């Protein structure tokens, strides 16, 4: 999954920050002075939103923008991201929005990459997915960063997949799981059915009810391994996902326990990573 933020989204970011012009550059009489802005990594990072930063400078009126790195690249401090040339007013209009966007997105992407790397140490090939538990209104940025870090989205939203939580089952009373699973299958025949489980016994029960994936919530790696042992002879074992407080410190343990998929929100709480902006007159 590879995409960039939409042009409309980037235009809205600029309008939000510069709705009525820039009285500082205008008042100083430098708005039309030719200049250069250089963005560079100021911390080790998995870069994200370099392409969007270049577009922001172009939208603001920069005459030439040279992007020197691509989202997903591993950068060391001092590594250049882009160089933009044009009127000082245009450079100042775009620089803070572009800098902040890259800092926040790269923070998310870097942590996503670290979690994935840790999981791969536990078992090569294990997949790490990011939940939809991101800041509302920031889905595009969150997914952009997640994929730049080598992870995949877990769910894009309520509309794209079926995942039955305990909060759903609270309305089903004592109805046996195989009955409501069959009802779901009949109502949504083209969809996979995932169910969250909070214990080993519950996970095994849901697997035998015929679901396609069991999401084991906040179980320990040992409990995950117990689930997989219990389902070792299952003729159509569902995918087993680990979720709940998964991070770079424990991802390898969950991968070694045999989880097919690690589901995490941790990348979205990462701190921004510094990006420097240097301006000079030409």
């Amino acid at each position: 999954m590879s995409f960039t933020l939409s042009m409309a989204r980037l235009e809205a970011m600029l309008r939000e920050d510069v709705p009525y012009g820039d009285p500082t550059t205008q008042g100083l009489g430098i708005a039309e002075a030719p200049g250069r802005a250089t963005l560079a990594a100021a911390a080790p990072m998995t870069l994200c939103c370099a392409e969007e930063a270049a577009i922001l400078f172009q939208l603001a009126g920069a005459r030439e923008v040279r992007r020197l790195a691509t989202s997903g690249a591993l950068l060391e401090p001092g590594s250049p991201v882009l160089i933009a040339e044009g009127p000082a007013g245009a450079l100042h209009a775009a620089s803070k929005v572009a800098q902040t966007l890259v800092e926040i997105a790269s923070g998310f992407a870097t942590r996503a990459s670290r979690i994935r790397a840790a999981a791969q140490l536990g078992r090569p090939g294990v997949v790490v997915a990011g939940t939809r538990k991101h800041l509302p209104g920031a889905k595009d940025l969150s997914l952009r960063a997640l994929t730049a870090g080598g992870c995949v989205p877990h769910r894009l939203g309520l509309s794209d997949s079926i995942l039955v939580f305990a909060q759903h089952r609270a309305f089903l009373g004592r109805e046996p799981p195989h009955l409501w699973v069959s009802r779901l299958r009949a109502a949504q025949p083209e969809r996979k059915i995932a169910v969250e489980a909070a214990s080993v016994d519950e996970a095994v029960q849901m697997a035998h009810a015929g679901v396609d994936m069991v999401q084991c919530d906040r179980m320990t790696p040992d409990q995950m391994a117990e689930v997989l042992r219990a389902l070792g002879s299952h003729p159509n074992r569902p995918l087993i996902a680990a979720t709940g407080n998964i991070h770079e410190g424990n991802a390898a343990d969950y991968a070694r326990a045999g989880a097919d998929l690690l589901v995490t929100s941790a990348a979205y709480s990462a701190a921004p990573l510094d990006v420097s902006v240097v301006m000079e007159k030409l």
Side-chain angles (χ1 to χ4, degrees):
M1 182 178 182
S2 179
F3 65 97
T4 56
L5 303 188
S6 72
M7 197 69 69
R9 186 85 148 99
L10 297 174
E11 289 171 346
M13 290 179 184
L14 284 178
R15 283 196 305 272
E16 180 183 59
D17 199 49
V18 196
Y20 309 114
D22 176 4
T24 306
T25 56
Q26 292 163 1
L28 290 171
I30 63 171
E32 297 304 319
R36 175 186 295 129
T38 302
L39 269 64
M45 64 174 61
T46 297
L47 179 65
C48 186
C49 285
E51 296 79 5
E52 288 86 346
I55 294 169
L56 285 167
F57 277 99
Q58 292 167 342
L59 288 172
R63 296 194 178 99
E64 181 181 356
V65 182
R66 299 191 300 278
R67 184 169 51 80
L68 304 174
T70 300
S71 291
L74 303 179
L75 299 188
E76 294 299 321
S79 300
V81 175
L82 65 80
I83 296 173
E85 295 181 357
L91 301 181
H92 281 279
S95 63
K96 184 56 68 176
V97 179
Q99 177 190 31
T100 306
L101 178 63
V102 174
E103 288 181 337
I104 293 172
S106 297
F108 289 179
T110 300
R111 191 165 191 202
S113 178
R114 288 174 180 164
I115 296 169
R116 180 178 180 272
Q120 295 280 325
L121 284 176
R123 192 174 79 256
V126 68
V127 174
V128 177
T131 73
R132 63 183 179 94
K133 198 175 180 180
H134 47 67
L135 178 68
K139 185 185 295 289
D140 53 356
L141 175 60
S142 301
L143 295 181
R144 176 80 164 107
L146 187 77
T147 54
C151 300
V152 300
H154 179 224
R155 302 178 81 195
L156 298 175
L158 278 179
S159 302
D160 83 326
S161 57
I162 293 175
L163 176 52
V164 181
F165 290 100
Q167 292 90 335
H168 296 104
R169 301 200 300 273
F171 293 90
L172 297 173
R174 296 181 177 276
E175 183 178 8
H178 73 275
L179 293 182
W180 52 258
V181 169
S182 296
R183 188 164 67 252
L184 258 180
R185 187 85 66 193
Q188 301 283 344
E190 81 286 11
R191 305 273 189 173
K192 299 289 187 180
I193 297 175
V195 178
E196 187 172 85
S199 69
V200 173
D201 288 344
E202 196 170 71
V204 173
Q205 180 188 32
M206 296 304 166
H208 286 296
V211 303
D212 301 292
M213 183 173 80
V214 177
Q215 186 166 290
C216 298
D217 186 47
R218 297 188 179 276
M219 295 189 198
T220 66
D222 287 345
Q223 289 172 317
M224 289 289 307
E226 187 178 345
V227 170
L228 287 155
R229 284 194 299 271
L231 297 175
S233 60
H234 194 288
N236 296 297
R237 179 177 75 77
L239 288 174
I240 303 297
T243 188
N245 197 33
I246 307 294
H247 50 77
E248 56 269 58
N250 61 20
D253 294 332
Y254 281 98
R256 277 193 289 267
D260 301 301
L261 177 71
L262 306 187
V263 182
T264 179
S265 306
Y268 308 141
S269 62
L273 293 174
D274 286 343
V275 171
S276 67
V277 179
V278 175
M279 298 268 194
E280 53 188 321
K281 184 177 180 181
L282 294 180

